[in-house]
């Protein structure tokens, strides 16, 4: 626990130290990144201890804040969520030292590093806080710190707009959480988690409040609207932290609240499955329609949060129907996907940052042929793509496989659920399959159009590979993706205690499905054999070709003379068949000026896919609110004495009302 | 150890016989067209000839292009280890291997598509785009279909499912199993780029899917690609044959013999379908595939109801 | 008997899905006719060993009307109104099928929740009826021409009829004939209406009827 407190102090105090280095960019870089590294390393000690099976005693100090207390504890659930937070924070900090270098002297980097460390500390505090007041405080610091990080390039209009949307969205979420905590703690004079218990009639409302409040942070559809705005606006290492781990605090909060609410009725599981399926499918569809690389990745975060939520839903259904095996598999898949998504999504954002750093554009359609000039970035992006598509032998598959297993065991065999559970399980299996297929479409598009073929513009033709400080974190993350991919059983065992916390059973009575462990071992075997086979076949082919003519010619152009790089398939054309099929949701806007006359001079075509919920739900809602509120705009007249008068009047009215 | 090698025999059977299916399909089509047709073993001689040649690579391509055929073949061979043959278990079987089966084939597709984009040709991009479009719809169909079979038998591995399927399963859930069979057949045609989804014999790049994606391969690489495609035809066909033959309840060597006969019949059926149907418009293919999803979904709900 | 009944019910669902995917009005009408025949056969196989004469009579009337007369009327309307043969629905075919699947899942779930006290051999009829009703409503809402809406209406009626069949075996013959008569009149009136709409506006697209409002 001392390490934990030290780490929190390191993050907050070290963050302040960054501010002190304003004006000396070299020093800022060193201080900022080493604070993040030391803080992360300090907190990793208790995290690893808890994951290794040790039980730590919590810290409980008095705090003068009403209802507040400084209650910290690291249990297995916290450890599962804090591990990716710390690892990603550390790696992204290393990456940031180089990524931010072009801004040195132009922007106040001390501020950026200050908020970065503040964000890291607050995320850690969120997962270890055991008091509602402390939790909300950490939550708010987290939101504000990330807001300032998003608006790093605040001279651009689009960035300011993105920051504004993020700020509004996150506070709407916080409002729900405030109500939730007040309701949870209303019976006691304290907001300590240990005394939280939902009265029977109220558990459902608490669940819904938590779903909306935490779902806003986690990016569930339709509360996801801030993600595709904020992630592209932020610097890439910040996007990696936000998309990789910050949104996971929403999942953490939801799971934590669920532990207070007792045994869940089936409709909770159903609701989570539906929310997850909608987020997953619509997330990947919107991703497919994007040609801004970082927006695409942001929508994929929505998709993956959907997958995680479906796993949680299956877990809850398993709990409702008293099937511990289904519950275990659902939660195991969900938690492992939290870790995996943190790894590969950060990897993808970091390599996207590397591409943007090198080419200066975020538009996929302007890239092409980058693999030749950025071999490392290209390779790790490919690995990240395979992982996020949930393909074996990388880590994304292991967690999706567990969720699949959860849904399979609920539909067949002796652990079968009642019919409502079966329908939910089928929805999960079908959605996962559809999401998997569409994700393959999306990432073959992203990788294929960006890194393969020929350069489509001068941006892409003059890219350069990033430096070591950027390549190293990416390589570490890629290696982690491979390692988790082939060591599945180990991770399942590691997650056991956290699942016990989430499902509320004692660790020693937990049902550990050996068939799943066996399946994962067999998959490891298959993966190793497959990799061996790849090696063997490569060897055979090189032997076959060794004594023969191997020539390099232009691509076969099907008889067309002189094809140019601009004639290559683009990301938009690649995705068009799918986006057209789902145009009901996507509503892609096409602007097309056709070539006219026999010698056409110019023609153009462009597509834009705005967010459905942003355009048809939130924008009208906010416009209406604005219209309504502008009616009482006369109250804001700017005369201070009248403001004070109205305050006094209000106080008097309250006093009279209370006394009378 | 000896029994392990015996259990590997079905894999060897597939590795040896898969190209024969192409020969049977071609012969069937030739008979329909009133031609004599190429020899049944033509695919083998094609592969042998390609393996003896040198290679030409596009200047645009990178290592991804060279990795794809190798990864594709390795994936489909790994999948064969999970594949049971009528009445005989697969060498490797575990709970949930049906998901692994589908996803490893997904890995193969990922690399085929990426390699097609590696050439920078818009024709190959077009094929790649169609491939991902159709397979995104084929995937839920096959997953739901196999989950339906798992639900019907109560087993969660391919070997378990197919060994548990018996005449009684058909009596209990016959109509539903027929729907799964239909769905699997549509997926089989789509995944193997057969008519009415794709025409493997057309000579216009604009109208192709799989053939256009592999346009730039030559020599041993092309041999790997073609062989992997033949194996994919074998493994997906094996699912259908396993379901279709399950009411006979055979096992052992008789099961294997009947299985091979079943595969050949399937090839003849594919030949007939290809001779009697035209390739469907690309805009209409998704309808066919969502029909497959619907068939699987209906079958699943019926099975849940029947076995309740 | 159950195998026959199940097969018929499965075929019934398939025709509904067939209508969701069919791209041409002709195929759509034929699919509706096929469904009519099946719904007519349904009382012969649901739940009892030997059908009574009354049941056979109703079945014959049903098949004749829904399988022959209605398609004939609709095809005539189609010919005379000179409508475009290609359907261009508000919601595309692929999302339509996804809706169908959801409707199916929902029906089975509702059936499990409602728990009708019916003979177990007819258990499948209820969810199939629900599915048919929902798909019928969906077709009415999302298809463009008045003609295709008529068929959606017929699908809806088929679903309600199947539902009734599962709940009560013996419906008084007069009532059944009355219902059939209603539907007949409805199709007839709609046929005339379509003819007039077409003569007035040269098309039967319902999404342009909204220009009529004041």
């Amino acid at each position: 626990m001392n390490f934990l407190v030290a780490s929190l102090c390191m993050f907050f105090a070290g963050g302040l130290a960054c501010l002190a280095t304003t004006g000396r960019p070299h020093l800022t870089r060193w201080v900022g990144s080493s604070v993040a590294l030391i803080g992360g390393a300090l907190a990793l000690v208790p995290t690893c201890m808890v994951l290794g099976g040790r039980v730590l005693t919590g810290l409980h100090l008095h705090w003068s804040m009403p209802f507040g207390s400084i209650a910290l504890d690291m249990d297995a659930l916290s450890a599962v969520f804090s591990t990716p937070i710390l690892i990603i924070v550390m790696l992204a900090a290393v990456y940031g030292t180089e990524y931010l270098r072009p801004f040195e002297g132009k922007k106040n980097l001390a501020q950026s590093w200050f908020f970065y460390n503040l964000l890291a500390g607050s995320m850690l505090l969120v997962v270890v806080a055991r008091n509602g007041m402390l939790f909300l405080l950490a939550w708010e610091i987290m939101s504000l710190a990330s807001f300032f990080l998003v608006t790093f390039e605040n001279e651009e209009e689009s960035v300011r707009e993105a920051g504004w949307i993020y700020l509004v969205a996150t506070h709407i979420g916080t409002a729900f959480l405030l109500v939730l905590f007040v309701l949870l703690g209303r019976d006691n004079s304290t907001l300590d988690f240990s005394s939280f218990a939902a009265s029977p009639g109220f558990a459902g409302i608490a669940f819904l409040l938590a779903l909306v409040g935490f779902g806003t942070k986690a990016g569930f559809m339709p509360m996801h609207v801030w993600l595709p705005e904020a992630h592209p606006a932020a610097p890439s290492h910040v996007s990696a932290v936000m998309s990789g781990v910050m949104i996971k605090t929403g999942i953490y909060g939801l799971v934590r609240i669920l532990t207070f609410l007792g045994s869940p009725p089936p409709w909770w599981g159903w609701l989570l499955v539906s929310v997850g399926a909608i987020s997953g499918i619509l997330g990947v569809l919107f991703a497919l329609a994007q040609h801004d690389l970082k927006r695409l990745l942001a929508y994929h975060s929505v998709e993956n949060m959907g997958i995680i939520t479906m796993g949680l839903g299956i877990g809850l259904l398993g709990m409702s129907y008293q099937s511990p095996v289904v519950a275990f598999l659902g939660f195991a898949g969900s938690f492992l996907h939290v870790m995996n998504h943190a790894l590969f999504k950060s990897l993808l954002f970091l390599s996207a940052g590397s591409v943007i750093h090198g080419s200066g554009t975020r538009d996929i359609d302007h890239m092409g042929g980058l693999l030749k000039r950025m071999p490392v970035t290209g390779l790790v992006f490919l690995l990240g793509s395979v992982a996020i598509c949930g393909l074996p032998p990388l880590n994304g598959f292991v967690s999706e496989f567990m969720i699949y297993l959860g849904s399979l065991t609920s539909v067949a065999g002796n652990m079968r659920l009642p019919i409502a559970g079966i329908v939910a399980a089928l929805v999960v299996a079908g959605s996962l399959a559809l999401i998997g297929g569409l994700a393959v479409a999306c990432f073959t598009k992203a990788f294929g159009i960006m890194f393969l073929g020929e350069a489509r513009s001068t941006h892409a033709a003059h890219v350069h590979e990033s430096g070591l400080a950027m390549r190293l974190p990416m390589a570490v993350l890629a290696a982690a993706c491979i390692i988790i991919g082939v060591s599945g059983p180990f991770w399942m065992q590691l997650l056991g205690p956290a699942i016990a916390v989430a499902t509320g059973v004692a660790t020693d009575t937990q049902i550990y499905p050996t068939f799943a462990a066996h399946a994962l071992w067999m998959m490891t075997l298959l993966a190793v054999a497959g990799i061996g086979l790849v090696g063997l076949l490569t060897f055979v082919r090189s032997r076959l070709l060794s004594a023969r003519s191997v020539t390099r010619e232009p691509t076969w152009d099907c008889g067309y003379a002189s094809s140019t790089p601009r004639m290559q398939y683009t990301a938009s054309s690649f995705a068009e068949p799918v986006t057209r099929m789902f145009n009901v949701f996507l509503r892609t806007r096409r602007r097309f000026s056709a070539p006219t006359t026999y010698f056409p001079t110019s023609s153009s075509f462009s597509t834009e896919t705005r967010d459905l919920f942003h355009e048809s739900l939130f924008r009208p809602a906010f416009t209406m609110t604005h219209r309504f509120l502008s009616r009482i705009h006369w109250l804001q007249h700017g005369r201070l004495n009248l403001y004070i008068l109205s305050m006094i009047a209000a106080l008097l009215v309250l006093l009279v009302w209370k006394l009378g | 150890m000896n029994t392990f090698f015996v259990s590997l025999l079905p894999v060897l059977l597939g590795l040896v016989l898969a190209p024969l299916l192409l020969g049977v399909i071609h012969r069937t089509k030739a008979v329909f067209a009133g031609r004599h047709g190429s020899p049944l073993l033509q695919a083998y001689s094609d592969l042998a000839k390609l393996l003896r040649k040198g290679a030409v690579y596009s200047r645009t391509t990178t290592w991804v292009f060279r990795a794809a055929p190798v990864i594709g073949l390795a994936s489909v061979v790994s999948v064969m280890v999970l594949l049971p043959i009528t009445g005989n278990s697969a060498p490797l079987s575990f709970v949930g291997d049906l998901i692994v089966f589908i996803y490893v084939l997904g890995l193969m597709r990922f690399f085929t598509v990426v390699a097609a984009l590696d050439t920078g040709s818009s024709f190959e991009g077009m094929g790649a785009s169609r491939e991902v479009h159709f397979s995104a719809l084929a995937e839920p169909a096959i997953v739901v279909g196999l989950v339906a079979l798992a639900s019907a038998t109560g087993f969660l591995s391919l070997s378990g499912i197919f060994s548990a399927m018996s005449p009684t399963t058909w009596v209990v859930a016959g109509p539903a199993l027929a729907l799964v069979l239909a769905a699997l057949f549509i997926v089989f045609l789509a995944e193997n780029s057969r008519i009415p989804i794709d025409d493997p014999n057309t000579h216009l790049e604009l109208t192709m899917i799989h053939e256009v994606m592999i346009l730039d391969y030559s020599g041993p690489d092309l041999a790997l690609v073609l062989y992997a495609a033949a194996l994919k035809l074998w493994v997906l066909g094996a699912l259908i044959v396993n379901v279709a033959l399950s009411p006979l309840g055979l096992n052992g060597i008789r099961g294997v013999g009947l299985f091979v006969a079943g595969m050949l019949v399937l090839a003849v059926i594919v030949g007939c379908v290809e001779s009697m149907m035209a390739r469907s418009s690309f805009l209409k293919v998704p309808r066919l595939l969502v029909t497959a999803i619907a068939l699987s979904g209906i079958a699943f709900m019926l099975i849940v109801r029947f076995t309740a | 008997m159950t195998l026959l009944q199940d097969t018929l019910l499965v075929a019934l669902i398939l025709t509904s899905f067939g209508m969701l995917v069919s791209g041409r009005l002709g195929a759509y009408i034929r699919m509706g006719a096929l469904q009519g025949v099946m719904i007519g056969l349904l009382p012969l196989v649901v739940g009892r060993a030997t059908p009574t004469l009354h049941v056979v009579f109703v079945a014959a009337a049903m098949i004749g009307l829904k399988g022959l007369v209605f398609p004939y009327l609709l095809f005539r309307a189609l010919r005379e109104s000179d409508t475009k043969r290609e359907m261009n629905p508000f919601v595309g075919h692929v999302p339509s099928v996804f809706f169908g699947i959801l409707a199916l899942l929902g029906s089975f779930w509702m059936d499990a929740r409602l728990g009708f006290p019916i003979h177990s051999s007819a258990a499948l009829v209820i969810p199939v009826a629900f599915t048919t009703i929902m798909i019928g409503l969906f077709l009415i809402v999302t298809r463009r021409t008045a003609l295709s809406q008529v068929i959606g209406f017929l699908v809806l009626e088929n679903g309600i009829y199947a539902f009734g069949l599962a709940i009560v075996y013996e419906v008084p013959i007069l009532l059944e004939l009355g219902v059939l008569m209603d539907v007949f009149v409805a199709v007839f009136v709609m046929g005339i209406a379509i003819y007039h709409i077409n003569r007035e506006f040269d098309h039967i697209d319902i999404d342009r009827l909204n220009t009529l409002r004041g």
Side-chain angles (χ1 to χ4, degrees):
Chain A
M1 201 43 67
N2 293 337
F3 280 108
L4 192 63
V5 176
S7 157
L8 285 171
C9 293
M10 187 72 207
F11 278 125
F12 291 125
L16 287 172
C18 295
L19 276 186
T21 64
T22 309
R24 274 171 292 175
H26 191 69
L27 194 62
T28 307
R29 195 162 71 223
W30 276 106
V31 173
S33 56
S34 36
V35 164
L37 283 176
I38 298 170
L42 282 174
L44 268 180
V45 175
T47 309
C48 290
M49 273 156 68
V50 171
L51 285 180
R54 289 271 296 277
V55 177
L56 302 181
T57 42
L59 183 76
H60 198 285
L61 296 177
H62 184 68
W63 192 20
S64 56
M65 184 79 95
F67 308 113
S69 66
I70 300 183
L72 303 177
D73 192 12
M74 172 77 83
D75 62 358
L77 186 61
S78 304
V80 161
F81 280 84
S82 62
T83 315
I85 290 177
L86 298 170
I87 292 174
I88 302 304
V89 159
M90 289 161 74
L91 290 173
V94 175
Y95 181 96
T97 55
E98 186 181 330
Y99 186 81
L100 289 176
R101 205 172 281 194
F103 298 99
E104 281 178 2
K106 293 180 209 154
K107 311 273 314 176
N108 185 355
L109 293 187
Q111 210 182 357
S112 170
W113 280 109
F114 164 67
F115 286 121
Y116 183 83
N117 285 313
L118 207 57
L119 174 64
S122 55
M123 284 193 296
L124 184 61
L125 190 55
V126 161
V127 294
V128 296
R130 290 295 181 274
N131 175 278
M133 207 51 142
L134 188 63
F135 183 92
L136 281 178
L137 186 76
W139 189 262
E140 195 55 25
I141 296 175
M142 184 174 83
S143 302
L144 289 176
S146 48
F147 164 74
F148 284 109
L149 286 168
V150 166
T151 52
F152 177 63
E153 292 178 74
N154 52 15
E155 66 278 1
E156 283 178 42
E157 170 73 36
S158 63
V159 170
R160 287 201 300 272
E161 161 124 20
W164 178 243
I165 290 175
Y166 174 49
L167 200 62
V168 172
T170 190
H171 279 99
I172 291 176
T174 312
F176 280 90
L177 294 185
L178 201 62
V179 178
L180 170 71
F181 279 107
V182 167
L183 287 179
L184 273 177
R186 129 185 96 161
D187 298 337
N188 312 299
S189 58
T190 162
L191 285 177
D192 280 351
F193 283 7
S194 51
S195 63
F196 271 1
S199 44
F202 151 74
I205 299 166
F207 172 72
L208 286 178
L209 285 171
L211 186 66
V212 177
F214 288 118
T216 311
K217 186 61 83 181
F220 297 160
M221 291 244 175
M223 292 91 79
H224 69 287
V225 282
W226 63 272
L227 269 121
E229 306 297 330
H231 288 322
S236 290
H237 66 296
V238 175
S239 315
V241 170
M242 284 176 67
S243 189
V245 290
M246 192 192 77
I247 57 174
K248 306 296 178 352
T249 55
I251 298 288
Y252 165 79
L254 188 59
V255 175
R256 180 63 75 190
I257 293 299
L258 281 171
T259 61
F260 307 137
L261 299 184
S263 75
W267 68 266
W268 294 5
W270 252 104
L271 191 60
L272 284 187
V273 165
S274 319
V275 167
I278 291 170
S279 305
I281 294 174
L282 289 185
V284 68
L285 278 176
F286 275 100
L288 201 52
Q290 305 303 322
H291 24 78
D292 176 329
L293 176 56
K294 288 178 86 176
R295 264 182 96 87
L296 181 148
L297 292 177
Y299 273 116
H300 267 285
S301 293
V302 177
E303 174 228 309
N304 277 283
M305 297 315 273
I307 294 176
I308 292 168
T309 315
M310 282 197 278
L312 284 184
I314 288 281
L316 281 190
L317 283 171
M319 284 169 76
S320 317
Y321 294 122
Q322 273 90 40
S323 172
V325 172
V326 172
F328 183 94
L329 289 169
F331 279 107
S334 183
F335 289 170
L336 192 58
H337 206 70
V338 165
M339 286 215 204
N340 288 339
H341 180 248
L343 294 174
F344 55 65
K345 182 48 65 68
S346 316
L347 171 61
L348 286 167
F349 263 116
L350 293 185
S351 41
S354 176
V355 168
I356 295 162
H357 193 67
S359 68
T361 174
R362 292 203 308 249
D363 194 337
I364 297 173
D365 281 339
H366 289 168
M367 299 179 190
L370 300 185
L371 186 61
K372 290 187 199 107
R373 290 174 201 83
M374 314 178 86
V376 176
T377 306
L379 175 64
V380 297
F381 194 91
L382 178 63
L383 287 171
S385 305
V386 174
I388 200 173
C389 292
L391 294 174
L394 293 185
N395 58 349
F397 180 67
V398 180
S399 38
E400 284 194 28
F401 179 73
M402 291 217 212
I403 300 176
Y404 266 123
L405 269 191
S407 95
L408 277 173
T409 38
S410 18
V411 301
N414 47 3
M415 286 168 276
R416 209 162 117 146
L417 301 185
I419 190 151
I422 292 183
V423 171
L426 180 75
V427 169
V428 169
S431 313
L432 275 180
L434 185 63
I435 291 169
L438 292 172
V440 167
C442 195
F443 274 94
T444 48
K445 166 185 116 168
F447 179 74
I449 303 294
M450 281 184 0
F451 285 96
L452 304 176
E454 298 284 353
R456 287 178 179 76
S457 69
T458 48
H459 287 300
H462 301 299
V463 294
H464 54 85
E465 181 61 284
S466 310
L468 187 65
M470 280 167 77
R471 281 180 321 206
L472 190 68
M474 297 196 282
V476 171
L477 287 169
C481 287
I482 298 174
I483 290 169
I484 296 187
V486 293
S487 59
F490 171 71
W491 298 96
M492 202 169 92
Q493 206 129 33
L494 204 65
L495 289 173
I499 296 163
V501 173
T503 52
V505 301
T507 320
D508 48 344
T509 60
Q510 179 145 34
I511 296 187
Y512 181 78
T514 42
F515 65 85
H518 174 250
L520 291 172
W521 275 121
M522 290 296 128
M523 268 163 50
T524 307
L525 184 70
L526 204 61
V528 172
I531 292 168
L533 197 56
V534 168
L536 181 73
L537 286 170
T538 316
F539 174 72
V540 168
R541 182 181 55 186
S542 66
R543 281 301 297 274
L544 280 177
L545 288 176
S546 61
R548 298 182 196 152
S549 82
V550 176
T551 53
R552 294 187 75 83
E553 299 290 336
T555 298
W556 163 238
D557 51 10
C558 304
Y560 283 80
S562 70
S563 42
T564 69
R566 287 192 59 209
M567 287 165 67
Q568 291 174 96
Y569 236 44
T570 60
S572 315
S573 43
F574 187 80
E576 197 267 353
V578 186
T579 52
R580 192 219 307 251
M581 189 164 73
F582 289 99
N583 206 29
V584 186
F585 304 116
L586 297 176
R587 317 226 171 125
T588 303
R589 295 178 198 180
R590 292 157 214 274
R591 269 189 298 278
F592 179 41
S593 68
T596 48
T597 71
Y598 292 114
F599 298 99
T601 48
S602 75
S603 73
S604 68
F605 178 74
S606 67
T607 60
E608 184 188 18
T609 308
R610 301 248 185 105
D611 195 279
L612 176 66
F613 295 101
H614 190 234
E615 292 296 308
S616 337
L617 181 65
F618 290 106
R619 192 180 291 274
F622 277 94
T623 317
M624 259 164 64
T625 316
H626 182 251
R627 205 176 298 153
F628 171 71
L629 289 181
S630 55
R631 286 203 200 136
I632 51 170
H633 192 240
W634 58 267
L635 273 172
Q636 190 197 16
H637 35 62
R639 257 163 281 169
L640 190 64
N641 45 358
L642 289 182
Y643 288 161
I644 292 171
L645 176 66
S646 49
M647 274 184 223
I648 293 169
L651 282 175
L652 279 175
V653 168
L654 282 177
L655 188 70
V656 170
W657 179 50
K658 203 64 202 166
L659 293 178
Chain B
M1 208 59 207
N2 211 2
T3 48
F4 180 72
F5 283 109
V6 172
S7 70
L8 272 182
L9 272 177
V11 178
L12 291 177
L13 199 68
L15 290 177
V16 174
L17 289 181
L20 180 66
L21 296 184
L22 295 174
V24 175
I25 295 175
H26 279 138
R27 178 56 66 85
T28 314
K29 290 170 80 172
V31 169
F32 262 90
R35 287 182 287 116
H36 188 66
S38 51
L40 278 176
L41 303 180
Q42 183 65 43
Y44 294 93
S45 17
D46 287 350
L47 289 176
K49 192 167 93 184
L50 287 170
L51 282 175
R52 282 200 303 273
K53 293 197 166 207
V56 181
Y57 292 109
S58 154
R59 267 185 221 128
T60 310
T61 58
T62 57
W63 58 267
V64 174
F65 185 77
R66 296 185 188 209
V70 173
I71 293 176
L73 185 57
S75 310
V76 71
V77 172
S78 334
V79 153
M80 293 182 78
V81 182
L82 303 174
L83 197 69
I85 279 182
T86 313
N88 299 282
S89 298
L92 199 63
S93 122
F94 50 89
V95 169
D97 60 0
L98 44 114
I99 303 296
V100 178
F101 179 90
I102 297 161
Y103 272 67
V104 174
L105 288 180
L107 181 71
M108 174 186 181
R109 173 164 57 242
F110 186 98
F111 275 92
T112 313
V113 167
V114 168
L117 290 171
D118 200 6
T119 61
S121 155
S122 41
F123 288 111
E124 294 174 65
M126 226 177 265
S129 162
R130 289 165 186 164
E131 169 80 9
V132 293
H133 178 201
F134 298 156
S135 62
L137 292 173
E139 203 152 291
I142 188 169
V143 166
V144 175
L146 290 181
V147 172
L149 292 183
S151 187
T153 57
F155 283 86
L156 300 176
S157 68
L158 288 173
S159 297
I161 289 170
F162 291 129
S163 62
M165 277 178 80
S166 62
T168 8
T169 329
W170 280 82
V171 171
V172 175
L177 293 182
L179 294 186
V180 174
L181 209 52
L184 285 180
F185 189 66
I186 296 176
V187 171
F188 168 77
L189 292 178
E191 286 282 329
N192 289 301
S193 312
R194 313 303 310 190
I195 290 175
I197 286 88
D198 182 16
D199 187 353
N201 288 340
T202 175
H203 292 285
L204 191 60
E205 293 86 350
L206 271 174
T207 61
M208 299 193 285
I209 303 175
H210 185 254
E211 290 303 302
V212 74
M213 282 201 292
I214 59 169
L215 215 52
D216 265 273
Y217 280 113
S218 59
D221 287 298
L222 186 57
L224 294 181
V225 168
L226 292 181
Y227 187 49
L231 290 180
K232 195 176 173 192
L233 188 75
W234 176 273
V235 294
L236 287 171
L239 291 185
I240 296 174
V241 172
N242 272 323
V243 178
L245 294 182
S246 59
L248 299 180
L250 292 173
N251 56 16
I253 193 74
R254 283 167 59 202
V256 175
L258 198 74
F259 175 81
V260 174
M263 290 302 282
L264 295 177
V265 171
L266 181 68
V268 172
I269 294 173
V270 172
C272 294
V273 170
E274 300 221 329
S275 308
M276 294 188 297
M277 286 182 85
R279 192 181 57 70
S280 152
S281 138
F282 280 131
L283 293 177
K284 287 187 184 157
V285 171
R287 283 187 216 168
L288 194 63
L289 292 169
V290 292
T291 308
I293 301 179
L295 292 175
S296 303
I298 296 169
F300 178 86
M301 283 324 295
L302 292 173
I303 285 171
V304 167
R305 202 55 205 250
F306 289 146
T307 57
Chain C
M1 207 54 153
T2 47
L3 193 65
L4 195 63
Q5 180 199 322
D6 292 343
T7 315
L8 195 65
L9 287 170
V10 170
L12 195 66
I13 304 182
L14 290 184
T15 48
S16 302
F17 275 85
M19 275 182 258
L20 287 176
V21 284
S22 56
R24 285 165 172 274
L25 266 175
Y28 190 66
I29 296 174
R30 266 191 286 276
M31 205 56 95
L34 192 61
Q35 190 176 60
V37 173
M38 284 171 185
I39 211 81
L41 289 174
L42 203 56
L44 299 180
V45 295
V46 167
R48 64 178 90 63
T50 45
T52 58
L53 192 66
H54 147 215
V55 173
V56 174
F57 175 71
V58 172
M62 203 78 161
I63 293 171
L65 214 52
K66 288 188 174 168
L68 297 172
V69 178
F70 290 172
Y72 168 76
L73 288 175
L74 290 169
F75 267 116
R76 208 183 60 173
L78 181 65
R79 228 179 7 259
E80 284 175 3
S81 67
D82 198 25
T83 325
K84 249 195 351 205
R85 300 296 158 97
E86 287 286 328
M87 316 244 300
N88 184 18
F90 293 120
V91 177
H93 297 97
V94 174
S96 299
V97 174
F98 281 118
F99 170 83
I101 297 170
L102 284 184
L104 183 82
L105 296 182
S107 308
F108 275 88
W109 175 76
M110 276 195 324
D111 175 49
R113 292 286 295 181
L114 290 170
F116 282 107
I118 49 163
H119 201 256
S120 67
S121 70
L124 205 55
V125 181
I126 303 257
V128 171
F130 278 159
T131 314
T132 316
I133 291 172
M134 280 197 263
I135 290 181
L137 286 171
F138 181 79
L139 287 172
I140 295 175
V141 174
T142 60
R143 295 315 190 241
R144 199 176 288 265
T145 60
L147 238 177
S148 42
Q149 289 199 315
V150 176
I151 299 171
F153 176 64
L154 281 175
V155 174
L156 174 67
E157 204 276 334
N158 287 343
I160 295 170
Y161 177 77
F163 183 72
L165 209 61
I167 296 294
V168 267
Y169 286 151
E170 295 278 336
V171 181
I173 188 161
L174 217 62
L175 199 68
E176 277 183 20
L177 287 182
V179 170
L180 269 182
M181 195 65 203
D182 280 352
V183 180
F184 179 72
V185 169
V187 172
F188 200 72
V189 169
M190 279 212 182
I192 295 169
I194 289 170
Y195 179 68
H196 282 285
I197 293 171
N198 181 58
R199 215 174 48 181
E200 212 63 33
F201 301 105
D202 288 335
H203 62 78
I204 54 172
D205 267 15
I206 50 148
D207 63 326
R208 284 187 266 172
L209 286 182
N210 59 2
T211 53
L212 290 178
R213 67 179 182 181

